[in-house]
Amino acid sequence: MGVKQLFDLSGKSALVTGGSRGLGLQMAEALGEMGARVAITARKQPELDQAAARLSSQGVEVLTVAGDLSRLDAIPGMLDRVLQRFGAVDVLVNNAGTTWGAPAEDYPAEGWNKVMALNLNALFFLTQAVGKRSMIPRRTGKVVNVASVAGLTGNPPAMQTIAYNTSKGAVVNLTRALAAEWGRHNVNVNAICPGFFPSKMSQGILDRIAPHIVARTPLGRLGGDEDLKGAVVFLASEASRHVTGQCLTVDGGAIVT
């Protein structure tokens, strides 16, 4: 198999959660460009419609699935729609996430539970459902969890997101543990740990600390619109067939300083 073929996703079906905007939409574009059919999920149908129009204009076959993954009882029906349309899920990109800012000593249970419900619980139970209903029976699949550098380190003083950090740290080790379990089913499980990328979720903190982040990043910039595309295609394709349980940090080198 040639190198171009290793990265080719023609005939594959991908499910990208939180795919209506930001990093999720960028990754959906990348997978579609490489030939995959793409299902994207989000809570708001109008945002999904805008994303679908953008993907369709690029020649991507796209399905939108509106729903709240943090409601675990919504997961089976959302997955039903994807399987009815595409027949299988070859690639699952667990990107949907949320955050809540507050000092640790005053962190509210409401915020903690909201973050854990989407960032961790929904991620695991959707992956479980996709595994049982598609990947394990077919003995093939690629799971790409979007963790964060926040799951690998502490925070700058102005960033008080203890639940987010905790949830992303859990995703890092969930990735390792699930890779160890599902390797026998020929399912690869890996994670991407993005650094700071401009997005709706990160904008508030970047307004305050972006210069500090850029100054301590060896490549001297924040993440850009193209910077996760190669990573997700690698982990979604046969190019990574002997890679599992790994966490790829995409942060301009900030983690090493």
Side-chain angles (χ1 to χ4, degrees):
M1 185 181 291
V3 174
K4 290 182 179 179
Q5 291 175 294
L6 287 173
F7 287 91
D8 185 22
L9 295 173
S10 298
K12 302 294 186 181
S13 300
L15 171 57
V16 181
T17 69
S20 65
R21 65 176 187 238
L23 306 187
L25 180 54
Q26 292 165 23
M27 290 186 285
E29 288 178 332
L31 298 173
E33 182 178 339
M34 296 306 294
R37 301 169 293 182
V38 181
I40 54 175
T41 78
R43 290 184 299 112
K44 299 177 181 178
Q45 188 64 51
E47 292 184 359
L48 284 167
D49 291 340
Q50 291 179 357
R54 178 168 163 173
L55 290 165
S56 296
S57 72
Q58 298 169 8
V60 179
E61 181 181 348
V62 59
L63 169 69
T64 65
V65 183
D68 182 357
L69 290 167
S70 68
R71 291 181 48 244
L72 299 184
D73 59 355
I75 289 175
M78 294 174 71
L79 181 55
D80 283 344
R81 291 196 54 204
V82 180
L83 295 176
Q84 287 165 8
R85 172 72 173 270
F86 292 155
V89 175
D90 299 293
V91 178
L92 171 62
V93 180
N94 283 308
N95 170 71
T98 190
T99 191
W100 187 298
E105 64 272 22
D106 297 317
Y107 211 89
E110 176 189 4
W112 182 273
N113 292 334
K114 175 186 176 182
V115 172
M116 294 300 169
L118 183 58
N119 294 11
L120 186 56
N121 298 349
L123 180 150
F124 172 69
F125 286 106
L126 175 61
T127 303
Q128 181 189 65
V130 170
K132 289 179 72 172
R133 297 177 62 182
S134 184
M135 293 181 175
I136 292 173
R138 297 169 61 244
R139 290 196 51 77
T140 183
K142 304 279 190 175
V143 178
V144 183
N145 295 323
V146 180
S148 171
V149 293
L152 304 174
T153 69
N155 286 331
M159 187 173 167
Q160 298 173 320
T161 54
I162 187 71
Y164 182 82
N165 290 66
T166 303
S167 70
K168 294 302 185 178
V171 169
V172 167
N173 219 42
L174 181 153
T175 297
R176 295 170 177 147
L178 191 59
E181 282 201 38
W182 281 7
R184 68 181 183 272
H185 301 301
N186 197 38
V187 175
N188 300 66
V189 186
N190 292 289
I192 299 174
C193 293
F196 283 93
F197 282 69
S199 68
K200 184 176 180 179
M201 187 168 69
S202 68
Q203 196 57 53
I205 188 67
L206 285 179
D207 287 343
R208 300 196 302 276
I209 67 170
H212 168 76
I213 297 299
V214 170
R216 64 181 290 268
T217 299
L219 292 182
R221 63 184 180 88
L222 301 174
D225 291 349
E226 311 294 324
D227 289 333
L228 289 183
K229 290 185 175 183
V232 74
V233 169
F234 170 63
L235 294 176
S237 68
E238 283 301 291
S240 62
R241 62 188 176 192
H242 202 52
V243 178
T244 197
Q246 302 305 305
C247 300
L248 175 58
T249 303
V250 184
D251 72 338
I255 196 75
V256 302
T257 61

